[in-house]
Amino acid sequence: MKIGIIGAGNIGGNLTRRLTALGHDVVVANSRGPQTLKDLAEETGATPVTVAEAARGAEVVVVTIPLKAIPDLPSDLLAGASDGVAVIDTGNYYPQRDGRIAAILDEGLTESRWTAQQIGHPVIKAFNGTYAQDILDRPRPSGDPERIALPVAGDDGAAKDKVRSLIDELGFDTVDAGGLDESWRQQPDTPVYGLRAGAEGVTKALAEASRERTAQFGG
């Protein structure tokens, strides 16, 4: 598949490394411009592009940038993407970094619902509680008892299936965490956030989540 990755930090960089190794056609962008991605491109074979070019022809687009930067994305970001493009949102809301977002704090929108509204396209929430190094170090074949599972939330069934299939290819199981309005169950400071467990453990952690935000996360 052609995959566009917006954000070349720890998660974006390691997804670039793994997805290119699996043979996908990966383009990667960041806010500082393609000239700053030369080393990652040489290491992986990914193509550095501008943010405006990242989704062109892509079947999957990964948005892995701070929430405060989401409104600065081009309004026509997905205009050239493939029909049925799946957009993966790996983001988390940290008030100390991202400032006050009233729709999340006062109106109770989940982080990914807010992100979907900002970009004008449904998103699939995944990788937000995954340790970046695990993307490189912890892939396991299907059926391996040490294979860890990732929660995946979203409203678009076809896009969710595409993302879950890609995560399986990366070497991880998945658990359907429901729609975007249920994605608070995998936001920071919930039991599943950062959990390294199989599907049974992830399912249990999702069920145990509380919607109440702690003070650290805007409660």
Side-chain angles (χ1 to χ4, degrees), residues 16-184:
T16 299
R17 292 177 176 94
R18 288 284 291 124
L19 291 167
T20 51
L22 290 168
H24 294 286
D25 176 10
V26 177
V27 301
V28 60
N30 66 7
S31 61
R32 295 179 296 139
Q35 71 280 359
T36 66
L37 296 169
K38 180 181 177 183
D39 290 347
L40 181 63
E42 289 180 351
E43 174 192 348
T44 64
T47 303
V49 297
T50 66
V51 172
E53 298 169 320
R56 290 182 187 170
E59 297 173 63
V60 174
V61 174
V62 182
V63 179
T64 180
I65 60 178
L67 246 68
K68 66 180 180 181
I70 294 290
D72 297 328
L73 291 172
S75 59
D76 59 348
L77 176 68
L78 300 171
S82 292
D83 290 343
V85 60
V87 179
I88 300 175
D89 167 36
T90 78
N92 296 303
Y93 178 43
Y94 299 109
Q96 301 92 332
R97 178 195 67 187
D98 299 315
R100 181 175 179 78
I101 300 177
I104 294 174
L105 293 178
D106 301 334
E107 299 169 28
L109 279 189
T110 60
E111 300 162 355
S112 289
R113 177 68 70 194
W114 180 85
T115 295
Q117 289 182 356
Q118 296 300 306
I119 66 174
H121 192 279
V123 303
I124 305 298
K125 189 178 188 76
F127 296 108
N128 71 293
T130 306
Y131 293 103
Q133 195 60 33
D134 287 356
I135 294 170
L136 300 182
D137 295 346
R138 288 181 174 260
R140 298 288 189 274
S142 181
D144 189 307
E146 294 188 3
R147 198 181 213 221
I148 62 176
L150 309 183
V152 180
D155 301 332
D156 182 329
K160 186 186 285 185
D161 287 346
K162 187 183 293 187
V163 171
R164 294 182 72 180
S165 177
L166 187 65
I167 293 173
D168 175 67
E169 189 182 350
L170 285 164
F172 304 93
D173 286 337
T174 58
V175 171
D176 190 334
L180 278 193
D181 292 333
E182 289 292 307
S183 64
W184 56 267

Side-chain angles (χ1 to χ4, degrees), residues 179-194:
L180 278 193
D181 292 333
E182 289 292 307
S183 64
W184 56 267
R185 294 181 181 276
Q186 66 195 77
Q187 290 177 174
D189 211 30
T190 59
V192 81
Y193 186 79

